[in-house]
């Protein structure tokens, strides 16, 4: 595919990145607790992991920013597994945080033979191929697809998912690349970017598993487009932050087929005369909707950045990862 920027190329590689993970069987046993350490986009992938490990596999799971865990380590039990997730495998805080851990250490990384692998008992590669754009896109998708596979595997071994449910969940994952390709071929996000060209502040709402996607979408918009974007859980947004809204601040809401909870917040925002744009991910069950919602927000960040003349592959002030 001939595209002008690595970010767009890498966004379009995501269906294949998922396809390559589908036939893998990965297992980390059945821990009684999972701790996740990461930074930035990998931390947002960790939030998806937490949701899946808790809601599907029913394993208590905590996520902490690697830098925070250096002064406030997560509690460990003898049968805890700590997962350090880092696309580069070179993020200094994540490496240091993993080194502090006493429990079994698993690294999830895209960096073959990267430094993190030296401090892990077990490494799972995300196999997304090199990501050149500073903004992480396909590596995020490769991380979350692994979390889906791990959570389903633990839940199956743990008897929280029957053989039938396990097979049906894996089948739903198989449908994702095709659904993503459909979205990648649509023009609606380019049109949305045009309407937001002058927007300096933006709210993104999700609920359930898509709260993490709202936060990740806001991170993509901040780093690629310099928009002040904030991601919130829809219900929580009503408890104060809604006071921010005026005619200048639009809200994007991730709406899924099975999720009526977000509607209450959308109705309240509209009742105050403020603008809500719905990002719908209704063609797949809510559990799998993050794959589509995140692509929509990545595309929005990309198109908005290029409309604003930003060098999207090399935004100001940031490096792809921090080694010090
Ligand atoms: C965001 C981005 C950064 C990284 C973060 C962690 O698009 O790229 O936020 O996610 O610096 O990097 P890794 O995953 O290499 O540890």
């Amino acid at each position: 595919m001939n595209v002008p920027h690595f970010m767009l190329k890498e966004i379009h590689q995501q269906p294949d990145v998922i396809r390559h993970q589908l036939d893998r069987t990965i297992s980390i046993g059945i821990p009684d607790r999972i701790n996740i350490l990461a930074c930035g986009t990998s931390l947002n992938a960790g939030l998806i992991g937490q949701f899946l490990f808790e809601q599907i596999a029913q394993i208590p799971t905590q996520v902490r920013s690697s830098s925070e865990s250096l002064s406030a380590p997560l509690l460990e039990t003898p049968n805890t597994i700590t997962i350090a997730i880092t696309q580069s495998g070179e993020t200094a805080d994540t490496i240091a945080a993993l080194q502090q851990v006493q429990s079994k250490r698993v690294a999830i990384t895209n960096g073959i033979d990267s430094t993190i692998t030296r401090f892990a008992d077990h490494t799972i590669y995300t196999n997304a191929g090199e990501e050149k754009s500073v903004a992480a896109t396909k590596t995020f998708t490769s991380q979350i697809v692994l979390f889906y596979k791990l959570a389903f595997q633990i839940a199956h071994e743990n008897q929280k998912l029957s053989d039938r449910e396990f097979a049906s969940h894996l089948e739903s994952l198989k449908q994702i690349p095709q659904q993503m390709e459909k979205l990648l071929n649509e023009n609606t996000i380019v049109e949305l970017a045009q309407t937001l060209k002058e927007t300096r502040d933006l709210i993104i709402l999700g609920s359930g598993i898509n709260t993490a996607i709202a936060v990740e979408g806001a991170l993509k918009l901040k780093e690629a487009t310099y928009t002040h974007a904030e991601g919130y859980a829809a219900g929580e947004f009503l408890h104060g932050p809604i006071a921010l809204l005026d005619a200048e601040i639009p809200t994007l809401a991730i709406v899924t087929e099975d999720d009526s909870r977000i509607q209450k917040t959308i109705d309240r925002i509209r009742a105050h005369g403020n603008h809500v744009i719905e990002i719908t991910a209704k063609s797949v069950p809510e559990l799998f909707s993050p794959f589509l919602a995140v692509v929509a927000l990545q595309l929005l960040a990309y198109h908005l950045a290029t409309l604003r003349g930003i060098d999207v592959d090399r935004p100001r002030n940031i490096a792809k990862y921090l080694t010090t």
Side-chain angles (χ1 to χ4, degrees):
M1 186 183 184
N2 198 8
V3 288
H5 297 104
F6 286 115
M7 184 176 175
L8 188 59
K9 183 176 174 198
E10 289 158 2
I11 289 173
H12 277 264
Q13 286 172 340
Q14 291 175 110
D16 280 340
V17 165
I18 298 174
R19 277 189 190 103
H20 289 146
Q21 308 281 3
L22 290 175
D23 296 326
R24 289 174 82 182
T25 301
I26 38 172
S27 175
I28 55 170
I30 307 177
D32 61 19
R33 180 185 170 102
I34 297 175
N35 289 338
I36 300 176
L37 300 169
C39 300
T41 288
S42 296
L43 182 63
N44 295 334
L47 294 172
I48 296 277
Q50 179 186 36
F51 185 96
L52 295 167
F53 289 135
E54 291 201 328
Q55 300 303 314
I56 307 292
Q58 297 180 32
I59 307 283
T61 303
Q62 285 249 292
V63 187
R64 189 155 295 164
S65 158
S66 306
S67 55
E68 287 298 300
S69 88
L70 292 173
S71 50
L74 291 166
L75 296 177
E76 297 176 68
T77 58
N79 194 21
T80 292
I81 289 184
T82 297
I83 300 177
I85 179 154
T86 160
Q87 62 81 23
S88 62
E90 302 295 346
T91 293
D93 284 339
T94 303
I95 293 166
L98 189 64
Q99 281 178 269
Q100 277 192 344
V101 161
Q102 305 302 315
S103 50
K104 185 179 168 193
R105 304 168 178 181
V106 174
I108 295 184
T109 184
N110 203 43
I112 308 291
D113 294 334
S114 55
T115 308
I116 197 92
T117 65
R118 299 214 306 266
F119 299 103
D121 301 308
H122 179 54
T123 296
I124 304 171
Y125 285 115
T126 46
N127 299 337
E130 189 186 1
E131 186 175 64
K132 291 196 172 157
S133 172
V134 164
T137 55
K138 65 174 178 173
T139 52
F140 176 80
T141 315
S142 68
Q143 291 167 343
I144 68 170
V145 76
L146 277 185
F147 279 132
Y148 277 81
K149 292 213 75 165
L150 275 175
F152 293 161
Q153 183 67 31
I154 295 174
H156 190 219
E157 288 174 19
N158 221 0
Q159 292 169 1
K160 303 290 190 244
L161 280 182
S162 67
D163 291 351
R164 230 182 52 162
E165 289 166 326
F166 180 58
S168 144
H169 279 355
L170 293 183
E171 189 50 41
S172 295
L173 264 188
K174 279 197 188 141
Q175 308 300 323
I176 298 297
Q178 240 183 321
Q179 302 278 355
M180 227 182 224
E181 276 161 354
K182 254 197 231 159
L183 174 61
L184 287 166
N185 290 326
E186 280 175 17
N187 219 28
T188 44
I189 305 287
V190 182
E191 290 157 18
L192 176 59
Q194 276 153 355
T195 68
L196 296 174
K197 192 173 171 216
E198 306 304 330
T199 299
R200 303 313 308 175
D201 302 275
L202 188 66
I203 302 297
I204 308 180
L205 300 179
S207 83
I209 195 165
N210 282 311
T211 299
I213 299 298
V215 175
E216 169 58 12
L219 176 58
K220 285 294 90 90
L221 280 153
K222 279 180 204 129
E223 62 183 346
T225 75
Y226 314 149
T227 307
H228 174 220
E230 296 298 341
Y232 285 97
E236 193 54 32
F237 187 68
L238 300 175
H239 297 275
I242 192 170
L244 285 169
L245 296 184
D246 63 21
E248 304 294 309
I249 307 183
T251 299
L252 301 183
I254 303 168
V255 180
T256 62
E257 180 70 4
D258 328 321
D259 179 6
S260 56
R261 287 155 295 162
I262 201 162
Q263 201 56 49
K264 181 172 144 189
T265 304
I266 294 175
D267 293 345
R268 293 258 182 105
I269 294 172
R270 287 187 174 143
H272 291 295
N274 295 312
H275 190 40
V276 182
I277 300 154
E278 296 186 23
I279 295 195
T280 53
K282 291 190 174 177
S283 52
V284 292
E286 187 186 345
L287 181 63
F288 298 92
S289 61
F291 290 101
L292 302 185
V294 81
V295 168
L297 292 168
Q298 292 167 349
L299 283 172
L300 178 62
Y302 172 77
H303 290 299
L304 200 49
T306 52
L307 278 174
R308 291 178 179 175
I310 293 169
D311 180 357
V312 71
D313 286 334
R314 277 174 297 276
R316 68 187 180 204
N317 304 341
I318 53 172
K320 187 150 180 65
Y321 49 88
L322 295 176
T323 53
T324 52

